[in-house]
Amino acid sequence: MKHFRSQYLWVLLAVFALSCKDQPEKGIAKNEIPEKSERAIESAILDDADSFYHVDFKTYPQMDKSLPIGVFDSGTGGLTVLDALVNFDAHNNANNEVGSDAIPDFASEKFIYLADQANMPYGNYSSENKTDLLVEHILKDMQFLLSDKYYRNATDTEFQKDKQPVKSIVIACNTATAYGSEFITEFIDKTGIELKVIGVIDAGARGTLSTFKKDENGSIGVMATVGTISSKGYENTLLRIKDELGYTGEIQVFNQGGHGIAEAVDEEPDFVNKNYKQPRDDYRGPSLNDPNFAIDKTLMDIYNFDFDHGKMLCDNQDMDDCQILQINDSGNYVRYHVVSLLEQIRKADNPQPLKAIVLGCTHYPYLTKEINEVLDELYNYKKDGTYIYRDFMVENIAIVDPAVNVAEELYVYMKEKNLFNPSGNINDSEFFISVPNTTNSNVKLDDNGRFPYDYKYGRNEGEIQEYVKMVPFSKNNISEETLDRFKSSIPNTYKLIEEFTRSNPKTEYLETSLKIK
């Protein structure tokens, strides 16, 4: 199976040139989120000079080449998008012409990355009927990147004001793009500044379609959070761009809401908890009796779950007799969802073979190896001497990471607007993460120091307060296991994180043991 980040780059560039349009991305229909003349968070940012969230846009240094580029996600998954920007080398830096020169295209750009870890996963807000609250979180993410404020740690009562604002923003989150891109566009219009905001869904759709010939039949699998799938952001965008680019083949789209995958990557305790060896009451992932995400006992041989070291939790020592079965490992979440996707295709009417899977969540590229392993197993799986899935999938399925397309779109915009920093340094990049605001008496925490599920999704939009504080990355807020994953899967971005905690003045207060190295 092929990972789609390098070998199709030139095809991507060609498709991008044909299809790039300076318009907001089409995600969820706006009428699915109640219209408001102005949201409370917008009023706080735009009009209330006494609010923590206020930004004075009359003095905003718009279109300033020296400013950094902002990138945000609901967690650390968006670092895969940032990593694509960090490594992107499709142009000659001396003349901006197409062609690699062994120097990253954004080598002179500083990035500011925000992971809204405390409020993640964003994909669950829609199922809890809290899309208004989700939009508020997204606009707060924007406010952070546009402002100069941050905290050193969760217990600080005074914020710092030496963070730079940004000259453009990448939404490195599919759910935020699906539910928030049009509201972000409207918000930027209200600020009166010129600032480009790029989302990932259009980019992912273009990259996926570029794996097809214009008259080719086939299926596309969309693996994304439940919220992104519910928005139909990818399905609608794929079908729209398919028609715009003149594809004539029968292209079918199959959606698989990856309930629990992103949460497992970010070690949300409701979905994975390595401290448990037996099933637990607070588990929220797929199970034998889940009405929406049921583990099918008849497919156990096909799932091929790894039961070692507490990666699956069973209420019986004999794994064949489990009455309660819980997934407790990111690789097993992948197994459940890839098998579920192929089962969905196998049972469909006149299905076309699966040709491409778009990773519609920025956490999923961390698990590309695991996805490929399961696809290989399914392609070769036999029952009673018959291949069960070969009629429903091609041998070499393209795994599409939208991040390369995002990088190209950002590059084209910055070239057009002459926004490249002539004297910047990518090693000056900064990394922030949201943590629960322990100085806010309204905030509730669980035993792990995180927002309990019912509190996280029980809050209401419009109650403007600081639920979280944006603080620098450190070992105090990112686990060793997660850092090890960064080190192996996004090594160049990991080096930037190391540099930030080692030498940036914003982290000089950190104890040596808390610095990332």
Side-chain angles (χ1 to χ4, degrees):
M1 306 298 169
K2 293 180 281 189
H3 183 221
F4 191 76
R5 202 173 248 190
S6 58
Q7 51 265 64
Y8 292 102
L9 178 59
W10 300 114
V11 179
L12 288 176
L13 300 187
V15 172
F16 180 87
L18 288 171
S19 60
C20 179
K21 297 184 178 180
D22 191 13
Q23 60 182 19
E25 298 204 15
K26 300 295 190 294
I28 185 172
K30 282 185 63 180
N31 59 14
E32 294 182 39
I33 300 177
E35 290 281 359
K36 296 178 183 292
S37 57
E38 187 163 282
R39 295 172 182 273
I41 186 59
E42 290 181 304
S43 297
I45 297 170
L46 298 170
D47 306 320
D48 186 356
D50 295 326
S51 171
F52 167 82
Y53 295 105
H54 181 66
V55 177
D56 183 4
F57 289 104
K58 292 179 181 178
T59 60
Y60 195 90
Q62 58 181 317
M63 307 304 284
D64 183 338
K65 295 180 184 181
S66 68
L67 293 182
I69 298 164
V71 182
F72 78 87
D73 183 34
S74 60
T76 59
L79 289 171
T80 61
V81 176
L82 177 59
D83 194 61
L85 299 174
V86 168
N87 294 303
F88 189 64
D89 179 22
H91 305 85
N92 187 303
N93 288 36
N95 56 24
N96 299 127
E97 297 298 324
V98 173
S100 172
D101 61 356
I103 301 172
D105 291 347
F106 298 107
S108 296
E109 300 299 329
K110 172 182 173 180
F111 293 94
I112 295 182
Y113 181 85
L114 170 64
D116 188 15
Q117 185 80 14
N119 291 311
M120 76 87 66
Y122 280 6
N124 291 346
Y125 286 91
S126 62
S127 60
E128 297 294 341
N129 297 313
K130 291 289 184 175
T131 50
D132 270 341
L133 180 60
L134 172 59
V135 172
E136 180 175 292
H137 290 329
I138 294 167
L139 292 176
K140 284 181 176 179
D141 296 337
M142 292 285 294
Q143 181 274 341
F144 170 78
L145 293 174
L146 296 168
S147 78
D148 58 2
K149 300 172 186 173
Y150 69 96
Y151 288 90
R152 286 182 169 178
N153 57 59
T155 59
D156 269 7
T157 56
E158 295 185 6
F159 53 80
Q160 308 299 310
K161 293 193 65 175
D162 59 341
K163 184 187 75 65
Q164 287 180 286
V166 298
K167 61 185 175 186
S168 58
I169 291 176
V170 172
I171 313 173
C173 176
N174 289 270
T175 303
T177 303
Y179 285 90
S181 60
E182 293 188 45
F183 295 101
I184 287 172
T185 299
E186 290 180 357
F187 170 72
I188 293 298
D189 287 344
K190 292 176 183 178
T191 69
I193 65 173
E194 182 177 353
L195 185 136
K196 178 73 170 179
V197 180
I198 297 172
V200 287
I201 290 182
D202 272 31
R206 293 187 196 105
T208 306
L209 287 168
S210 72
T211 67
F212 285 76
K213 297 176 183 177
K214 284 296 181 71
D215 59 352
E216 186 176 9
N217 299 335
S219 291
I220 295 169
V222 179
M223 292 186 64
T225 66
V226 174
T228 299
I229 295 298
S230 296
S231 76
K232 294 193 175 181
Y234 264 104
E235 182 174 358
N236 292 341
T237 303
L238 282 163
L239 297 176
R240 170 175 60 83
I241 294 179
K242 168 185 176 290
D243 291 339
E244 289 176 357
L245 297 182
Y247 284 86
T248 59
E250 182 180 357
I251 297 178
Q252 301 170 342
V253 179
F254 291 90
N255 295 300
Q256 181 63 34
H259 181 58
I261 299 180
E263 294 88 338
V265 169
D266 273 332
E267 301 177 44
E268 282 293 302
D270 291 340
F271 293 86
V272 293
N273 192 323
K274 299 302 174 64
N275 295 323
Y276 285 84
K277 303 303 178 185
Q278 296 292 326
R280 52 204 175 86
D281 293 336
D282 60 351
Y283 173 76
R284 294 184 179 275
S287 63
L288 295 174
N289 300 313
D290 190 299
N292 299 311
F293 297 97
I295 298 174
D296 187 341
K297 274 195 168 184
T298 67
L299 299 176
M300 291 299 290
D301 185 48
I302 301 173
Y303 292 137
N304 194 24
F305 290 130
D306 181 356
F307 279 81
D308 291 341
H309 308 297
K311 294 179 180 179
M312 296 291 294
L313 304 181
C314 174
D315 62 343
N316 196 307
Q317 287 187 341
D318 186 347
M319 299 301 178
D320 293 331
D321 291 331
C322 299
Q323 299 303 308
I324 300 175
L325 186 61
Q326 299 174 352
I327 301 174
N328 201 37
D329 171 73
S330 58
N332 281 334
Y333 272 99
V334 167
R335 290 188 166 277
Y336 170 78
H337 285 294
V338 174
V339 170
S340 298
L341 173 62
L342 264 297
E343 278 291 294
Q344 185 186 159
I345 296 172
R346 185 178 69 83
K347 294 175 181 179
D349 292 332
N350 190 33
Q352 300 299 315
L354 180 64
K355 181 173 172 57
I357 293 176
V358 57
L359 303 182
C361 174
T362 53
H363 290 69
Y364 295 2
Y366 290 123
L367 300 168
T368 299
K369 177 183 175 183
E370 290 84 347
I371 292 170
N372 279 326
E373 285 177 356
V374 181
L375 289 173
D376 282 331
E377 289 176 17
L378 295 178
Y379 187 78
N380 292 298
Y381 181 80
K382 284 184 179 181
K383 186 174 183 179
D384 299 328
T386 301
Y387 290 107
I388 301 300
Y389 296 105
R390 281 200 179 181
D391 288 342
F392 308 101
M393 60 192 298
V394 300
E395 183 175 4
N396 293 313
I397 294 173
I399 307 299
V400 182
D401 181 352
V404 171
N405 301 71
V406 172
E408 178 63 20
E409 185 170 351
L410 178 63
Y411 185 91
V412 169
Y413 169 74
M414 291 180 61
K415 178 182 177 182
E416 175 188 336
K417 296 294 184 177
N418 192 25
L419 271 180
F420 289 108
N421 189 337
S423 57
N425 189 335
I426 198 170
N427 290 314
D428 294 333
S429 295
E430 299 175 354
F431 299 84
F432 296 86
I433 189 169
S434 67
V435 296
N437 179 6
T438 57
T439 62
N440 181 345
S441 60
N442 295 322
V443 165
K444 297 179 181 179
L445 302 178
D446 61 18
D447 292 340
N448 297 297
R450 305 190 187 199
F451 293 150
Y453 188 94
D454 290 342
Y455 171 74
K456 183 185 295 186
Y457 298 103
R459 296 169 293 174
N460 295 310
E461 182 263 347
E463 299 173 357
I464 302 304
Q465 55 187 289
E466 291 181 71
Y467 295 116
V468 303
K469 291 179 177 178
M470 311 305 191
V471 303
F473 274 25
S474 74
K475 288 186 177 180
N476 208 30
N477 47 55
I478 301 180
S479 72
E480 288 287 355
E481 182 177 347
T482 299
L483 291 173
D484 286 344
R485 185 176 67 246
F486 295 167
K487 194 171 186 178
S488 62
S489 59
I490 51 171
N492 289 332
T493 296
Y494 182 79
K495 290 176 183 177
L496 296 179
I497 297 171
E498 284 185 309
E499 182 67 22
F500 173 58
T501 65
R502 178 171 56 246
S503 60
N504 193 293
K506 294 180 178 63
T507 60
E508 62 185 5
Y509 67 93
L510 284 174
E511 297 178 11
T512 302
S513 62
L514 296 179
K515 291 181 179 288
I516 296 170
K517 52 187 176 180

